Amino acid sequence: AVHALRGKSASNWPDDHGVCIPVQAPRSATALLTMAASTAFAEPPCDVRAGADVFATKCATCHSVVAGQNGPAGPSLYGVVGRRPASAPGFTYSAAMASRSEQWSAATLDWYLLDPPARVPGTYMAFSGLRNDGARAAVICFLGTLDQTVTR
């Protein structure tokens, strides 16, 4: 990275490709601390293996991750990220879940999985939720790795 700075002003910083991009120096101690905190506390990459483990212990009793193969009490979650709620073929959903119109994303799954019965009153999902933030993030990470070829 040092070679990328040769001949560049001190107000430039190399990006991941060695190209210098302009960076403004912080104008206050607060700005400097904010910059340092945003770098020091950046989210780590998600843990797919931990998510698979959480899924196996908390979700697999009811759900499948096989395309087109629903679980004994819940829809297949294969391709869930990016599809509409209540859209896995061959599964009968509650009216409450069928009325949802947003797409499943990391944010909507995080919101829902915290407490499904409270988030969507009338859902058939009796699971009380994943209260542990790390476990919830890990299972969402795992679900996000599944192919998204389910009919939407």
Side-chain angles (χ1 to χ4, degrees):
V2 173
H3 69 281
L5 290 174
R6 285 191 194 133
K8 305 292 181 181
S9 73
S11 65
N12 291 329
W13 189 258
D15 67 6
D16 292 339
H17 305 287
V19 176
C20 288
I21 54 174
V23 174
Q24 243 183 357
R27 298 192 184 272
S28 69
T30 303
L32 179 60
L33 288 172
T34 301
M35 284 174 51
S38 67
T39 302
F41 299 110
E43 288 191 37
C46 68
D47 190 341
V48 177
R49 183 177 304 250
D53 290 344
V54 172
F55 185 89
T57 60
K58 299 288 187 179
C59 313
T61 301
C62 297
H63 294 278
S64 163
V65 292
V66 177
Q69 180 181 319
N70 292 318
S76 171
L77 297 180
Y78 182 87
V80 68
V81 177
R83 78 176 185 218
R84 260 187 81 263
S87 63
F91 188 79
T92 303
Y93 291 89
S94 67
M97 186 58 76
S99 72
R100 306 299 299 187
S101 61
E102 70 279 10
Q103 280 191 332
W104 288 123
S105 65
T108 55
L109 285 166
D110 186 57
W111 171 84
Y112 179 68
L113 292 175
L114 181 64
D115 188 352
R119 300 300 198 193
V120 181
T123 184
Y124 293 156
M125 188 164 162
F127 181 64
S128 63
L130 287 170
R131 303 283 195 251
N132 180 286
D133 293 341
R136 201 169 55 254
V139 81
I140 292 166
C141 171
F142 169 69
L143 293 173
T145 66
L146 303 175
D147 191 352
Q148 297 184 14
T149 58
V150 172
T151 303
R152 289 172 177 44

